Amino acid sequence: MNELTLTVLRLGFLVLMWVLVFSIVGAMRRDLLVGRRHKTGAPSAREVRRNPALAEPPPRQHARELVVVEGPLAGASMALGESPILLGRAQEATLVLEDDYASGRHARLFPQGSRWFIEDLGSTNGTYLADRQLTRAQPVELNVPIRIGKTVIELRP
Amino acid sequence: MSAVDAAVRPRRNIELVLLILALVVGCGANALTALNEGTSLGSNFWLESGTITIASLALHVSLRFRAKYADPLILPIVVALNGLGLAMIHRLDTPQTDYGNAQARWTVIGMALAAIVIWFLKDHRTLRRFTYISLILSAVLLVLPLVPGITAGDINGAQVWIRVGSASFQPGEVAKITIGIFFAGYLSTNRDLILLAGRRIGKLQLPRFRDLGPMVIAWLASIGILIFQHDLGMSILFFGIFISMIYVATSRASWALLGIILMFAGSVAAGYIFPHIALRVDGWLNAFDPNVFGRQYGGSYQIVQGLFGMANGGLIGTGLGQGRPDLVPFANSDMIIAAFGEELGLVGLFAIVMMYALLVTRGMRAAIGARDAFGKLLACGLSAGIGLQCFVVIGGVTRLIPLTGLTTPFLAAGGSSLLANWIIVALLLVISNAARRPVDTTPIAPDEASGAPETILTQAVKQR
């Protein structure tokens, strides 16, 4: 095979490698692109006009305080900051519940975006959000009771 | 609602197209070597290309059946890298050696293991049950090369090999996976404790002393590898995986900072205590000193030859089969990057580095998408491991950091490394399948009296 063909093949191979790299990046770009159907986040004004269901709900109030409404600690309250809160009987817990029906590390309240989520940490007696047992992390709205053992807590603005 | 739960496409066809392109790159490299060397494409070439093609297509088909939503980009990247490595190892074979065919066999075994993992591991969370078993297993695997009777002894200054029949195996490569599973399981369980307890000094929240336990263990283990097995690369790799996972688990810079300080202190101390590490550092800093270059043991001959090779390659390389990468000792394993730098040039080397970067990105993408803490941490740790390994090897070959004996993932000759890396890829594919699989977005209780929970859930999905 002559020299020219070999040089062309040699350069062609480098081009081929980059073609592979760029097609991977291209496929990835499509993965990252937020298409019309995959759109998340705030809808535009025109989309809201066409489909009123997409309109943003009125701005919510942010939870600033956690209040114990029932149980041994009733009346206690604590301010919500930016760090997650561990609920349970263990001394490590942020809010130490003196409740015989609560587990050592019972549940976790954590902020994400503008809202708070509650997550059960594998407690014995379970955690109830609005009388429904938690099976996964769920957002907590204001004034919705969270029951842990005999303790009921709520988030307040 | 319809705007939210848009159908997620499996994108397996894109994978197939990219896979074929990757196979063309891999087999093309092999063919080009033969053409440049003036030999004809022998039966060996067809056999090798055929097995790789069939094996990777089989892997693709098993993904179609078992992990439909797995990331479509991981497999093509890995197949391309593996094919390039095979071609280069083949090219570096002298008439007396046959690393190429051995590597091809290991590739097929690795792909078969990956397929087994994909077929039988439906849910990566099963691995969480083996958290502490993985810890014990990693300890055993790491100690194995030191046990008399099974150890393969001191090979090239490091005691990391065991003898299995007539072959040798590097158990530390497999320990990469088990240690990843242990850290992921441990950190996903104890994340809260580590995160919440502790005292705050200024902006840094320091962990409590007793929560430092696992970190101290990880540090001792990596220092132990360094002392007893003389393997700086593996030691950095293990500790690096741990640091990246604990950083991701807690998002506390203090942990990463503490770990880096510990590792640095340990390495500096080791450099003073152990002469072979001091020699390595000397060979890195004063590589072009004639005394260091010509030194019998621990000299810089290897690294400088590699640099000369890459300089010879220049921007577009000498062409596959037309350089002299065989002048570099261990050109087909530790220094394979230098061989690629010589024959494919900077342009080709950067394409390879890009592929590694994309692979790590896809692993991290799987970690972001994973819905459970264990999967997140495992995907993150495994892909951080690949990234770190590339950094340590390529940095060593290009004289950015001292050269350490780590294998280049998927490229370098070495069966154990190839096996372990294919299993890692299978795990990443399984996790990405779980991450990209469409979720059930219907509210938990459709019979809920007020419509509130439904809107709450849809908003949660929207925000994500």
Side-chain angles (χ1 to χ4, degrees):
Chain A
M1 212 172 273
N2 64 27
E3 201 68 20
L4 183 69
T5 330
L6 285 180
T7 312
V8 168
L9 278 177
R10 194 181 100 199
L11 297 178
F13 184 73
L14 293 180
V15 173
L16 183 67
M17 280 175 81
W18 280 99
V19 166
L20 175 65
V21 168
F22 278 111
S23 21
I24 290 168
V25 173
M28 199 160 139
R29 201 182 54 114
R30 261 170 89 192
D31 195 47
L32 295 176
L33 257 183
V34 188
R36 181 176 286 273
R37 275 160 31 112
H38 298 264
K39 196 153 193 171
T40 56
S44 67
R46 188 195 286 173
E47 281 167 340
V48 172
R49 250 196 331 255
R50 278 192 193 157
N51 189 354
L54 284 176
E56 280 287 288
R60 271 175 284 114
Q61 278 183 298
H62 292 278
R64 293 190 204 288
E65 202 183 18
L66 178 158
V67 181
V68 182
V69 278
E70 265 178 54
L73 283 175
S77 71
M78 71 187 289
L80 294 173
E82 282 172 2
S83 49
I85 287 176
L86 181 64
L87 304 163
R89 271 188 326 175
Q91 287 306 309
E92 288 99 9
T94 327
L95 179 64
V96 181
L97 303 171
E98 284 149 14
D99 185 331
D100 293 339
Y101 295 90
S103 299
R105 301 170 61 243
H106 196 108
R108 187 170 93 112
L109 259 174
F110 58 97
Q112 198 156 43
S114 60
R115 49 173 62 207
W116 286 78
F117 284 70
I118 186 145
E119 177 186 26
D120 189 82
L121 299 172
S123 61
T124 316
N125 291 329
T127 307
Y128 294 81
L129 177 66
D131 292 330
R132 199 167 287 280
Q133 187 163 9
L134 282 181
T135 47
R136 54 178 175 181
Q138 284 213 24
V140 185
E141 293 300 293
L142 294 178
N143 302 322
V144 174
I146 303 167
R147 178 178 290 277
I148 292 172
K150 288 194 162 187
T151 309
V152 175
I153 58 179
E154 285 179 15
L155 299 188
R156 297 278 162 81
Chain B
M1 195 71 195
S2 61
V4 176
D5 58 10
V8 184
R9 270 172 298 158
R11 307 187 82 208
R12 288 266 77 81
N13 293 334
I14 288 182
E15 181 182 70
L16 185 61
V17 172
L18 289 174
L19 189 62
I20 290 168
L21 197 56
L23 284 167
V24 170
V25 168
C27 301
N30 224 339
L32 211 57
T33 315
L35 286 179
N36 279 340
E37 285 175 336
T39 51
S40 57
L41 300 175
S43 60
N44 235 343
F45 167 76
W46 295 112
L47 187 73
E48 213 164 85
S49 309
T51 41
I52 298 302
T53 308
I54 290 169
S56 39
L57 288 179
L59 210 50
H60 168 75
V61 171
S62 46
L63 279 178
R64 274 187 190 263
F65 279 108
R66 298 299 286 201
K68 210 170 126 194
Y69 291 97
D71 193 294
L73 307 177
I74 293 177
L75 187 63
I77 297 175
V78 172
V79 167
L81 286 171
N82 202 334
L84 282 171
L86 263 175
M88 183 52 83
I89 292 163
H90 226 302
R91 179 244 170 284
L92 287 166
D93 267 343
T94 58
Q96 287 84 38
T97 58
D98 191 17
Y99 291 109
N101 281 331
Q103 181 82 349
R105 274 197 298 279
W106 281 111
T107 304
V108 173
I109 297 174
M111 284 183 177
L113 270 181
I116 289 172
V117 171
I118 290 166
W119 273 97
F120 291 101
L121 189 69
K122 264 192 197 158
D123 188 351
H124 59 271
R125 281 171 296 186
T126 335
L127 294 174
R128 193 176 178 168
R129 285 185 220 145
F130 304 113
T131 299
Y132 287 94
I133 294 177
S134 299
L135 176 64
I136 296 165
L137 209 61
S138 332
V140 170
L141 285 170
L142 287 176
V143 170
L144 224 47
L146 299 172
V147 178
I150 354 178
T151 175
D154 214 320
I155 298 179
N156 310 325
Q159 213 171 3
V160 292
W161 299 84
I162 57 166
R163 200 149 277 295
V164 186
S166 61
S168 52
F169 193 78
Q170 205 175 345
E173 291 283 347
V174 182
K176 245 179 1 190
I177 304 168
T178 51
I179 211 112
I181 294 172
F182 165 68
F183 284 146
Y186 179 84
L187 289 174
S188 60
T189 313
N190 296 312
R191 179 179 50 139
D192 283 303
L193 266 189
I194 296 172
L195 198 60
L196 296 175
R199 116 165 31 97
R200 181 174 276 274
I201 297 179
K203 279 226 147 214
L204 284 182
Q205 170 142 16
L206 291 178
R208 280 184 318 179
F209 192 70
R210 59 179 160 140
D211 293 334
L212 279 172
M215 178 167 246
V216 172
I217 292 173
W219 184 70
L220 283 180
S222 49
I223 292 295
I225 299 172
L226 187 61
I227 294 175
F228 295 109
Q229 305 184 335
H230 302 169
D231 193 351
L232 181 64
M234 206 51 119
S235 151
I236 291 177
L237 180 61
F238 277 134
F239 205 63
I241 291 176
F242 175 69
I243 301 277
S244 54
M245 284 172 88
I246 203 162
Y247 177 65
V248 169
T250 61
S251 70
R252 289 274 154 79
S254 58
W255 281 95
L257 208 65
L258 209 65
I260 291 168
I261 292 171
L262 271 178
M263 192 65 217
F264 195 72
S267 306
V268 169
Y272 277 111
I273 299 167
F274 303 105
H276 68 274
I277 294 175
L279 283 180
R280 276 270 169 88
V281 174
D282 190 35
W284 164 58
L285 288 176
N286 310 313
F288 290 100
D289 187 329
N291 290 327
V292 179
F293 180 74
R295 196 157 51 202
Q296 187 71 39
Y297 181 72
S300 62
Y301 178 78
Q302 188 184 20
I303 182 170
V304 170
Q305 281 297 333
L307 291 176
F308 286 162
M310 286 190 279
N312 186 31
L315 198 60
I316 54 168
T318 57
L320 283 166
Q322 292 183 323
R324 289 302 307 276
D326 48 310
L327 292 177
V328 186
F330 298 108
N332 65 5
S333 55
D334 287 4
M335 299 295 283
I336 199 160
I337 283 294
F340 275 112
E342 179 170 358
E343 301 217 312
L344 295 178
L346 190 71
V347 175
L349 195 57
F350 271 20
I352 291 174
V353 174
M354 267 308 277
M355 285 187 215
Y356 279 124
L358 289 173
L359 180 61
V360 174
T361 323
R362 293 324 285 172
M364 291 295 179
R365 182 72 188 77
I368 291 173
R371 297 182 186 106
D372 60 307
F374 176 76
K376 265 185 203 306
L377 285 170
L378 186 58
C380 169
L382 294 178
S383 40
I386 295 177
L388 201 62
Q389 201 167 347
C390 289
F391 172 74
V392 168
V393 177
I394 301 177
V397 171
T398 52
R399 214 164 77 89
L400 179 69
I401 54 172
L403 183 65
T404 54
L406 269 185
T407 53
T408 327
F410 303 108
L411 285 183
S416 24
S417 149
L418 207 52
L419 280 193
N421 284 319
W422 270 108
I423 295 175
I424 288 177
V425 164
L427 288 176
L428 286 179
L429 284 170
V430 169
I431 295 172
S432 69
N433 179 45
R436 295 182 71 242
R437 200 169 41 202
V439 236
D440 187 13
T441 46
T442 51
I444 301 177
D447 56 326
E448 184 80 12
S450 68
E454 188 177 340
T455 50
I456 288 167
L457 270 171
T458 11
Q459 281 160 12
V461 172
K462 263 189 201 169
Q463 280 187 347
R464 200 185 296 152

